[in-house]
Amino acid sequence: MAMKRVAASALRAFTSSGNSTSSLLTRHLHASPGSKKIVGVFYDAKEYAAKNPNFLGCTENALAIRQWLESQGHQYIVTSDKEGPYCELEKHIPDLHVLITTPFHPAYVTAERIKKAKNLQLLLTAGIGSDHVDLKAAADAGLTVAEVTGSNVVSVAEDELMRILILVRNFVPGHHQVITGDWNVAGIAYRAYDLEGKTVGTVGAGRIGRLLLQRLKPFNCNLLYHDRLKMDPELENQIGAKFEEDLDKMLPKCDIIVINMPLTEKTRGMFNKDRIAKLKKGVLIVNNARAAIMDTQAVVDGCSSGQIGGYSGDVWNPQPAPKDHPWRYMPNQAMTPHISGTTIDAQIRYAAGVKDMLDRYFKGEDFPPQHYIVKDGELASQYR
């Protein structure tokens, strides 16, 4: 049973630490099999909530699991208020059992919050990417962290392809001309190119990176990828991508760089001033992964100097981005709010995945192995 394994993990942590008053031991061995308090943190849809019955990822529709949960005697609290000591989420931290949040409006689960959450057992990400959780603190506390792996990989890969084309064709300034009543073809054409024949490199070639490469193949690009794992030779040949073991040798070859890696302590700030300076002048960068992989000011400076010819993505640090975030105002950017992985199709998939995992949790059953980010005190390999 999953609960027994969690308790055993907590017991091992207790005995190895030598701490005779471990809160971990109390937390897990005294977990009740009865009614649970579940808190969901999502973005507000307001007037848009009723416009589509499948718009599930907002506070108003709350993954469409309220009736199901409450019919089983569980308490379901939903909010978008997640920041600061007096926010709605903070009120429920001490006695919640399960926290559901999304990468699009993340509840930042710090070590301090984990320490306060005496009843917390399970952290679920409705989507992909659990770096809003202090994963080490979660592992040390014996918590389970899981996400709906695969739920929005198609959505993100399609969005990345769109952003590549938007940057290559210099689309945003042209669209802006239409809105403002201007007409200046030269102001767009002088830096608009074809995608065909360009070298595109993805930093990370997991589920999303591979889908992107497959979608780029018909454009007759030169495709490169860097990853900790090399693809199966048959798949690599089918896609037509070349493996680059040395990241710093791959990057200067690229006309377009796409970031497709998780945020970890190793990748945080990876694209700093020095690394950006070594890229091909005028390089285009797409980042739907995590903003903190980039040095914020280095990206601004690169776009301002022309070292970066264009930057597009939908991830910010923090999220939601404050009004004075410098990426909002830097030149040659095509930024959006965090939307790539929250299409309606993706919402249907990650809502179903969350419901399935909650059902398994109530029954004491394991999740599908690929969904675990932290299990029995161990982090998934991509976060190590």
Side-chain angles (χ1 to χ4, degrees), residues 22-304:
S22 172
S23 61
L24 295 183
L25 188 62
T26 303
R27 177 186 300 201
H28 294 296
L29 292 185
H30 290 220
S32 168
S35 176
K36 302 295 183 186
K37 182 174 184 178
I38 298 155
V39 175
V41 178
F42 312 109
Y43 52 79
D44 293 325
K46 299 180 181 178
E47 70 271 21
Y48 301 105
K51 291 182 179 292
N52 189 330
N54 292 319
F55 191 178
L56 306 180
C58 55
T59 54
E60 292 84 355
N61 296 326
L63 304 183
I65 56 175
R66 180 179 296 282
Q67 184 177 353
W68 173 69
L69 287 172
E70 292 179 350
S71 70
Q72 299 182 68
H74 302 298
Q75 184 182 9
Y76 190 30
I77 307 294
V78 175
T79 184
S80 63
D81 186 17
K82 62 188 180 70
E83 302 293 343
Y86 305 108
C87 69
E88 184 67 18
L89 172 61
E90 202 70 27
K91 297 175 186 177
H92 302 287
I93 289 289
D95 63 344
L96 59 81
H97 296 91
V98 179
L99 176 61
I100 307 168
T101 185
T102 76
F104 319 106
H105 187 76
Y108 293 102
V109 185
T110 61
E112 181 181 6
R113 279 181 164 172
I114 289 173
K115 187 176 180 180
K116 291 178 182 177
K118 303 300 182 183
N119 293 336
L120 181 60
Q121 298 165 343
L122 177 62
L123 291 158
L124 288 179
T125 299
I128 304 172
S130 296
D131 48 83
H132 52 275
V133 178
D134 186 323
L135 296 176
K136 183 180 184 304
D140 290 345
L143 302 180
T144 297
V145 182
E147 59 189 39
V148 192
T149 299
S151 59
N152 55 21
V153 294
V154 170
S155 313
V156 177
E158 288 183 356
D159 187 273
E160 289 177 342
L161 178 57
M162 175 190 72
R163 291 177 191 276
I164 290 171
L165 288 166
I166 282 172
L167 291 178
V168 168
R169 302 305 293 264
N170 202 22
F171 175 85
V172 172
H175 181 62
H176 188 258
Q177 281 190 17
V178 171
I179 293 171
T180 58
D182 293 334
W183 189 281
N184 181 2
V185 174
I188 310 306
Y190 84 101
R191 55 191 303 270
Y193 297 87
D194 294 339
L195 179 53
E196 184 174 38
K198 302 300 183 292
T199 297
V200 183
T202 175
V203 185
R207 293 177 177 88
I208 295 171
R210 292 181 188 186
L211 286 178
L212 174 65
L213 291 171
Q214 289 171 336
R215 282 154 175 74
L216 283 167
K217 184 179 180 181
F219 287 89
N220 296 320
C221 302
N222 178 29
L223 301 177
L224 307 176
Y225 75 96
H226 170 81
D227 197 89
R228 59 193 179 88
L229 299 174
K230 195 174 186 294
M231 287 185 202
D232 177 82
E234 184 177 348
L235 178 61
E236 188 178 81
N237 184 62
Q238 178 188 2
I239 295 174
K242 179 184 176 184
F243 175 67
E244 294 275 348
E245 186 174 3
D246 189 323
L247 176 63
D248 285 318
K249 287 185 178 178
M250 180 188 86
L251 292 176
K253 301 176 185 177
C254 297
D255 301 298
I256 302 155
I257 295 169
V258 186
I259 312 300
N260 276 311
M261 67 178 74
L263 176 63
T264 68
E265 289 311 307
K266 292 181 181 179
T267 64
R268 186 179 298 276
M270 174 182 282
F271 282 81
N272 55 22
K273 180 179 179 180
D274 291 340
R275 181 164 265 143
I276 289 173
K278 296 174 183 176
L279 304 180
K280 185 180 292 188
K281 186 173 178 60
V283 66
L284 306 178
I285 300 177
V286 171
N287 180 13
N288 282 358
R290 288 296 181 265
I293 293 171
M294 317 298 293
D295 180 297
T296 298
Q297 189 58 46
V299 172
V300 175
D301 294 343
C303 287
S304 299

